[in-house]
Amino acid sequence: MQETQINGESLDIVSENVSKLKDLFPEIVTEDKIDFDKLKEVLGKYTEEDNERYNFTWKGKSTASRLAQSPSTGTLRPCKEESKNWDTTENLYIEGDNLEVLKLLQKGYYEKIKMIYIDPPYNTGKNFVYADNYQDNLKNYLDMTNQFDEEGNRISNITESDGRRHTKWINMIYPRLSLARNLLAPNGVIFISIDDNEVENLRKICDEIFGEENRLDRGSIIWINKGSTKGFNKIVKNHEYILGYAKNSKLVESLYGVNNPEKMDFIQERLQIKRSPKNPPAKVKFPKGLKIEGHENIKFENVIGNGTNRIDIISGDLEFKNGVLINDVVLEASFPYKNQMIDFFSKIGTEEKTYDYKGQEWVEVYFTSTGVPYFKKLRKYKIISSILENVSNSGYNDLKKLDMENVFDNPKPVKLIKILIDYFTTKEDIILDFFLGSGTTIHSSLELSTKNKRIFIGIQYPENIYENDKNNEPSIKFLKNINKPLNISEICKERIRRAGDKVASEMNQNGQVSLDKNTKNNLDTGFKVFKLDSSNLSKWDPEYDNIEQTLLDSVKNIVPGRNQLDLIYEIMLKYGIDLTLPLEEYQIKDKTVFSIGFGALMVCLEDNMTSEMATEIIKLKDGLSPEVMRVVFKDNGFASDSDKTNIKETLKINGIDEFVTI
Ligand SMILES: C[S@@+](CC[C@H](N)C(=O)[O-])C[C@H]1O[C@@H](n2cnc3c(N)ncnc32)[C@H](O)[C@@H]1O
């Protein structure tokens, strides 16, 4: 049996890409090296020979690209005490620099994210932009979390007067976006908020990374965020942008296309019949062929319903056979949108069977089975490219409702982000935000999850808040009931806790919890907190000043101070296993064995393991019966070499082929 050794590195993206090239063009790869002349031959007329070509470039581009591709030597350490509902939640909150974290998520979340929304620093010259270190970005993060250099200056800011401020910002965003693309599902989408400082650069970078053909509807969303502002000889700005890209725009088209039952379900709406002074009774001809739900064959009386819902059949029969109306029928009732309906029906039988009303496309009209006080309206939503959300204070108010006003500058409005999430995601989809700030994206997702549960992953740097930038004074903004200044990550966690509680209690008040057991069971307002740190495996974190100790430690292999749980999550991360999968603990004699994903991965990190352990693991395998089982031990955890060999052999004979050591 093959023995694999887990190392402390995340996915090697370059080698993954080489194997993809190898699959496409086996002839160009010899001994894992690419023969570029052969590749040119294979690509023939599609090779670019001209040095002068359309290209967006800047100083540092190739280094930034390499930075994205170099593996991370970090890990994510679980932090149960800051989490909410650790044992049951599927949501993740990760504290750390998003570049390193995105690298660590490459394996487990490759093509799994349905929607990314980010709101990076706009490069106004005042906001925080994390300075990557090309030599050792992880160490840099760990050193920098207090954000001061030796002279006490903030190292992480780009200032207005910085001659290279665009270059610095581009070098920051480029590797992050290229890593983010890998995580998007084939039908996934990304939205990025930005203002005029960097919109042109961001557009060009996104065209390069996601492909111009994948711009969502060829444009961006303009978010009109302030009411008119007085101004005489100057253009007064009241908007920002949200750039949208798909991983593959063709797949997104089909996902939201008319015939997609998944999306239909989400968008169906009933069109009520209601008499009111605004809505007097009117006659509408319903053409034969319309469908009815819930019945195959039925004939209705001449008068249906009563009071404000009354419908009179004026001519023809309201009769359905095999689920469709057998003849034209004229009904009199108080139809909202009467003219639109007439227009819609006039198109039935023609090629174009949709009706566009204020950007909402109707695609079908149904009768219901109950004697029809309602008609069902199916429509395909479209998002209009300018969102007028007059909300200078809306984001502020969202926080205020949670008793958290004045803790974060310019949070995005929940209402705005909900529009995007509601449209582009559905049940069980994963949403990622890696510039989380105060956590608006998660708050929005939680509010929507009473309808359809979404799963979130959020990443945020533990940035201190500065009350007074000039003096580099840490913030003294206190939250009610919390008697210490919080960094942004702590503020964000607190907001998600409060937002989740609010959503759950509102559901309770509305009685929904008891009415809808499913929703209650599915509502997940918890989150597992993980924090970026150096690997738990010591050989990946040598201490150069104390190499002797490092060597001694590396025999032990595990960094002092780290516990079994730290290691287990590192193994899951590097194996690409979902960090929220259930973890069960079994006690076998005096040793603990962890089962992840119902036996898909068994981990035992004890010392002095003897061959008996194999027999016990086989018993567990029989009980759990996973499709495949992998078993992980500590390399130096065996009582003797022969115990190791015996364990390996027994496992092999019993169908466990993957034996892993760390
Ligand atoms: C504009 S704010 C996001 C605001 C958010 N949309 C809201 O409504 O609260 C950007 C956030 O990204 C964070 N950030 C900047 N660089 C980061 C990095 N390298 N890793 C993680 N977070 C980062 C900053 O701390 C800041 O809070």
Side-chain angles (χ1 to χ4, degrees), residues 177-450:
L177 287 179
S178 85
L179 287 165
R181 184 182 177 277
N182 297 337
L183 302 182
L184 276 184
N187 59 9
V189 289
I190 179 166
F191 291 97
I192 310 167
S193 278
I194 202 71
D195 76 354
D196 282 302
N197 279 294
E198 295 297 346
V199 66
E200 290 89 0
N201 290 327
L202 184 63
R203 169 65 84 200
K204 292 212 169 80
I205 291 171
C206 288
D207 281 351
E208 179 175 321
I209 291 177
F210 300 100
E212 197 176 328
E213 65 285 6
N214 290 318
R215 286 183 186 185
L216 278 173
D217 286 323
R218 289 174 287 282
S220 41
I221 294 172
I222 311 268
W223 169 41
I224 302 172
N225 59 355
K226 288 184 192 90
S228 65
T229 317
K230 285 184 196 130
F232 294 103
N233 52 4
K234 203 169 173 257
I235 298 173
V236 182
K237 199 161 58 170
N238 72 344
H239 70 274
E240 295 179 9
Y241 308 90
I242 304 176
L243 304 193
Y245 283 79
K247 177 83 164 259
N248 178 342
S249 59
K250 290 198 187 91
L251 294 181
V252 174
E253 289 291 312
S254 66
L255 180 71
Y256 301 101
V258 175
N259 296 322
N260 185 294
E262 183 198 1
K263 225 53 205 172
M264 278 304 180
D265 211 31
F266 159 61
I267 58 178
Q268 53 177 265
E269 251 194 27
R270 288 177 193 283
L271 178 60
Q272 209 171 4
I273 292 169
K274 264 251 166 335
R275 282 171 203 239
S276 72
K278 231 174 68 193
N279 222 7
K283 290 182 191 134
V284 174
K285 183 166 131 193
F286 291 78
K288 85 180 202 193
L290 290 185
K291 293 181 199 141
I292 182 162
E293 57 164 29
H295 276 292
E296 280 293 285
N297 303 308
I298 186 169
K299 186 172 177 188
F300 290 95
E301 299 300 327
N302 283 345
V303 178
I304 301 163
N306 52 39
T308 54
N309 301 127
R310 180 188 165 110
I311 299 171
D312 293 294
I313 298 172
I314 304 297
S315 72
D317 288 329
L318 190 59
E319 183 175 1
F320 297 84
K321 286 209 169 121
N322 299 324
V324 289
L325 186 63
I326 57 163
N327 55 260
D328 293 351
V329 60
V330 176
L331 305 182
E332 187 177 77
S334 293
F335 304 107
Y337 308 122
K338 183 194 86 184
N339 293 337
Q340 288 77 22
M341 288 169 76
I342 292 172
D343 215 349
F344 175 80
F345 292 136
S346 72
K347 287 181 182 154
I348 289 191
T350 66
E351 281 283 288
E352 190 197 353
K353 210 187 98 179
T354 56
Y355 183 79
D356 209 332
Y357 178 64
K358 290 191 181 170
Q360 312 295 315
E361 210 170 275
W362 298 14
V363 291
E364 220 153 0
V365 171
Y366 280 77
F367 286 87
T368 64
S369 62
T370 53
V372 211
Y374 296 99
F375 294 101
K376 190 158 80 174
K377 178 176 69 173
L378 289 180
R379 59 185 191 177
K380 188 175 72 165
Y381 276 89
K382 288 175 181 172
I383 293 187
I384 302 171
S385 72
S386 63
I387 300 185
L388 176 68
E389 195 42 72
N390 197 348
V391 280
S392 3
N393 276 328
S394 168
Y396 168 88
N397 286 335
D398 293 327
L399 277 162
K400 193 171 172 201
K401 283 182 207 147
L402 303 174
D403 249 348
M404 293 184 77
E405 66 265 37
N406 292 326
V407 290
F408 191 82
D409 291 338
N410 303 322
K412 289 286 178 291
V414 165
K415 218 167 152 191
L416 175 74
I417 310 303
K418 267 167 85 173
I419 295 175
L420 299 174
I421 298 182
D422 199 14
Y423 187 74
F424 286 98
T425 69
T426 186
K427 237 185 275 176
E428 304 290 335
D429 280 344
I430 308 182
I431 297 163
L432 166 70
D433 183 341
F434 51 92
F435 287 99
L436 208 46
S438 69
T440 305
T441 307
I442 297 182
H443 188 164
S444 313
S445 160
L446 282 169
E447 284 201 1
L448 285 167
S449 64
T450 52

Side-chain angles (χ1 to χ4, degrees), residues 97-98 119 128 130 408 412 435-438 440 460-461 463:
D97 160 41
N98 50 20
D119 178 16
F128 169 82
Y130 176 72
F408 191 82
K412 289 286 178 291
F435 287 99
L436 208 46
S438 69
T440 305
Q460 173 57 34
Y461 188 91
E463 183 197 344

